[in-house]
Amino acid sequence: MTDDDGPAIDPDEYEDVWVFVEEHDGDVMPVSWELLAEAKALAETTGDDLVALTIGEDLDDVAEEAIARGADRVLVADDPVFEPYRADPYGEQFRAMVEDRKPSIVLIGGTHTGRDFAGRVAVPAHAGLTADVTEIDVDDEGVLQARRPAFGGDILATILCEEHRPQMATIRPGVFEAAEPDPDRIDSDAGEIVDVEVVVDEDDAVSEVLEREVGETADITEADRIVAVGHGVEGDLGPARELAEAIDAELAASRAAVDEGWIDGARQVGQTGKTVRPELYVAVGISGAIQHVEGMNKSDTVVAINDDPNAPIFDHADYGIVGDLFEVCPALVERLETEPIGEVVQ
Amino acid sequence: MTWTIVVGIKQVPDADEVGIDPDTGRLDRASAPAVMNGPDRHALEAALTIRDAAGGEVIAMTMGPPNATSILEDAVAMGCDDAVLISDRAFAGSDTWPTSLTLARAAEELGADVVVAGEETTDSSTGQVPPGIAAHNGWAQLTYAEAVDPRPEEGRLVARRDVEGGYELVAAELPVVVAVAFGEFDPRPAPLHRKIYGENDFEPTVWDAEDLGIKDEVGLDVSPTSVGRMETVDPVERKSEVVDDVDDLAAAITEVRA
């Protein structure tokens, strides 16, 4: 596989667009459905089948939902060895499926799980793997155009994988919209569910999950209103939380606030977090590093509260106020409570 | 048995010092000094923590140009026992596939029981290299590690991993590659005598692609990915209206619904 002259592959032997459907305990990560919807357009362009694949235990419901959401085929590797997730059994199973069935394009959500095991497929397959992609397209030859922000978000680089297959990418959560399930697709047998051979054995595993605690995962990508905190809140989320309650917003954060441990990583907006597109985004104590702005610049209206008049966030905001957030937030809450914000008009 | 802990570090442009080109208003990275990748400093701390608990030695490795020696000196000052510079023109144009192969071979050559690295680099932020090292060598991996608990008596290393909405404790058999979540390991300061030693007396071992037996397996030609186009991103137009009092801001927020 690591032939000195490079791989002698024939791209024509590879077909279909694959989307990894990530589930934990029966719950599917939203990014999986976002990718399935976006990949449908790719598959239509290339004339390939849209194939969902899922790895885990008791996956019947997940497989059916993948059909309802547009998959032509679902490959299911169902076995207790896959629950809970571990990099080595997942990677090995996925690798075997890729080797057997030769997909042309493989899309994986850029979650911690997706980013953890994607390399365990791409490395042995000598596949091209592009990280943290925010736009995808395909050219006439079926070459995936995987675009990702580079140089801190200032530039969009198109990464190609012309001479290797499959063409793999991890894709940032929140950048695409999921399609609603269509129950008619199940009733009309529009898709096929295929149980694949499980090639992994517990005896071969080199890791063991001793404990796992996962609560309700916040999905800030679906929020209509967001109040996001940055380094400026100095660990005190109280004022921002009250503001969020006053305008019925989800709480989110910049990387700095996540790294400080003030807020869960699932709520991180930006290059290494999620892309959000709310109607209203209030940045509280966020300086406005380009990596952060990139995750929130699809917001309709941006409001910034910061005590540094030179903070770059003001260039990326529609409305800003220079002031101490510990005074501005409570005052704002008081004003808003006398004139509460209404329902979002779509 | 004590452990050989290898820590992978990278020289990157200083993200805080990247200037703005006054003519184009865009980032000018060439003006930034080269420094150690921030997340790797946390990886160094994690590696030293593992050594404190399990015994053994910590060896820093970097793949880069000859002047990347300076970050190895930093690593030695912080407490690494030794360091290796992997440098060769043959590596030019390597994407994450040959890069992780190179580091995987070096880790093997060093007899690593544990490889530690930062979760990603600030210049390319793929996060693919640590899992790539594990994949090339067929080793276990623990990414997004927030805490480490070496258990030499079991021949395993346990890490607390950050997962969406929670955490998990995972035990991995050795050898294992650990990618450290940024911000979880506060790097210890380098004592003055180690700084002096690092800068004046320390010389890293230097390996090239041939030393690692991978001369024909690195560089642009074997990299599965290539960069096609680079497009500048036009900034989103914003009103950039700075208001003086909170009433105006409240009015603006209330207007959003209209």
Side-chain angles (χ1 to χ4, degrees), chain A residues 1-330:
Chain A
M1 210 146 316
T2 58
D3 191 337
D4 287 357
D5 300 315
I9 67 124
D10 175 4
D12 293 339
E13 285 179 13
Y14 292 75
E15 58 183 14
D16 296 338
V17 179
W18 283 20
V19 171
F20 172 58
V21 176
E22 178 183 343
E23 70 80 46
H24 301 279
D25 276 334
D27 293 329
V28 175
M29 298 298 275
V31 65
S32 307
W33 303 137
E34 294 161 18
L35 298 190
L36 199 64
E38 187 69 14
K40 183 131 196 111
L42 288 190
E44 275 163 12
T45 307
T46 58
D48 282 312
D49 281 354
L50 175 62
V51 178
L53 85 151
T54 186
I55 297 174
E57 193 182 7
D58 299 332
L59 298 169
D60 293 352
D61 293 349
V62 175
E64 286 215 340
E65 187 168 356
I67 300 279
R69 288 181 185 263
D72 297 311
R73 197 154 65 249
V74 189
L75 306 177
V76 180
D78 196 317
D79 194 280
V81 75
F82 301 123
E83 202 68 55
Y85 164 81
R86 284 174 294 173
D88 47 311
Y90 253 62
E92 179 55 22
Q93 178 67 34
F94 204 145
R95 186 201 61 76
M97 290 161 75
V98 162
E99 205 163 81
D100 272 5
R101 293 162 189 268
K102 296 186 166 45
S104 177
I105 293 172
V106 176
L107 306 180
I108 298 168
T111 60
H112 282 195
T113 295
R115 298 184 86 190
D116 188 54
F117 82 85
R120 298 199 79 108
V121 183
V123 160
H126 207 150
L129 173 58
T130 307
D132 221 18
V133 169
T134 57
E135 285 180 29
I136 49 173
D137 206 347
V138 68
D139 74 6
D140 298 342
E141 264 84 59
V143 176
L144 182 71
Q145 317 281 305
R147 296 196 186 89
R148 70 183 303 255
F151 301 106
D154 207 37
I155 281 174
L156 209 54
T158 303
I159 310 295
L160 308 172
C161 168
E162 292 175 294
E163 294 170 12
H164 295 247
R165 291 291 181 277
Q167 309 167 81
M168 298 179 61
T170 56
I171 296 185
R172 193 187 300 170
V175 294
F176 301 124
E177 290 205 30
E180 288 302 314
D182 172 5
D184 289 349
R185 286 185 50 85
I186 300 176
D187 299 339
S188 62
D189 289 329
E192 181 194 1
I193 295 175
V194 182
D195 285 312
V196 303
E197 186 197 354
V198 172
V199 300
V200 181
D201 192 272
E202 184 58 49
D203 294 342
D204 298 328
V206 291
S207 58
E208 180 190 0
V209 178
L210 305 178
E211 189 181 321
R212 188 175 160 89
E213 286 280 340
V214 181
E216 190 89 338
T217 315
D219 187 11
I220 54 171
T221 65
E222 296 287 315
D224 289 322
R225 283 184 284 262
I226 287 176
V227 172
V229 298
H231 206 258
V233 302
E234 297 169 7
D236 180 1
L237 267 57
R241 210 183 284 279
E242 281 162 29
L243 178 58
E245 277 167 22
I247 61 173
D248 193 21
E250 279 284 345
L251 211 56
S254 70
R255 175 157 195 166
V258 171
D259 286 345
E260 291 283 358
W262 300 336
I263 188 163
D264 186 75
R267 294 180 186 269
Q268 184 187 321
V269 172
Q271 194 176 10
T272 52
K274 296 195 165 96
T275 294
V276 296
R277 49 177 89 219
E279 172 174 297
L280 174 65
Y281 189 89
V282 185
V284 179
I286 289 177
S287 63
I290 192 93
Q291 291 88 342
H292 179 78
V293 170
E294 207 200 291
M296 60 84 158
N297 65 15
K298 289 193 167 77
S299 307
D300 290 342
T301 301
V302 176
V303 171
I305 301 168
N306 202 302
D307 61 5
D308 175 8
N310 298 316
I313 191 71
F314 290 115
D315 297 331
H316 303 285
D318 295 288
Y319 304 101
I321 188 163
V322 179
D324 181 352
L325 68 94
F326 296 99
E327 291 166 16
V328 173
C329 287

Side-chain angles (χ1 to χ4, degrees), chain B residues 24-184:
Chain B
T24 62
R26 302 208 169 273
L27 297 184
D28 173 16
R29 295 167 62 87
S31 64
V35 295
M36 191 192 301
N37 177 47
D40 295 345
R41 209 172 275 283
H42 294 237
L44 275 169
E45 176 58 36
L48 297 170
T49 306
I50 294 169
R51 183 187 64 186
D52 293 346
E57 57 172 358
V58 177
I59 305 167
M61 66 173 171
T62 193
M63 180 177 163
N67 71 12
T69 299
S70 67
I71 64 164
L72 294 175
E73 290 170 359
D74 280 357
V76 166
M78 212 171 127
C80 288
D81 300 283
D82 206 346
V84 181
L85 172 70
I86 307 157
S87 194
D88 195 324
R89 283 184 181 279
F91 295 132
S94 291
D95 72 359
T96 56
W97 197 97
T99 299
S100 51
L101 173 73
T102 304
L103 296 171
R105 288 292 169 270
E108 223 168 28
E109 189 70 29
L110 291 167
D113 296 296
V114 181
V115 177
V116 189
E119 83 176 43
E120 59 180 43
T121 54
T122 52
D123 60 342
S124 54
S125 61
T126 69
Q128 286 172 3
V129 168
I133 296 171
H136 276 294
N137 284 347
W139 293 354
Q141 71 186 52
L142 298 164
T143 58
Y144 301 99
E146 298 178 320
V148 288
D149 173 16
R151 297 184 183 173
E153 68 287 355
E154 296 174 21
R156 300 201 295 184
L157 186 139
V158 176
R160 179 186 157 114
R161 297 187 64 229
D162 180 56
V163 295
E164 275 91 357
Y167 73 92
E168 60 183 19
L169 291 182
V170 185
E173 292 170 20
L174 304 187
V176 59
V177 178
V178 183
V180 172
F182 185 54
E184 300 295 336

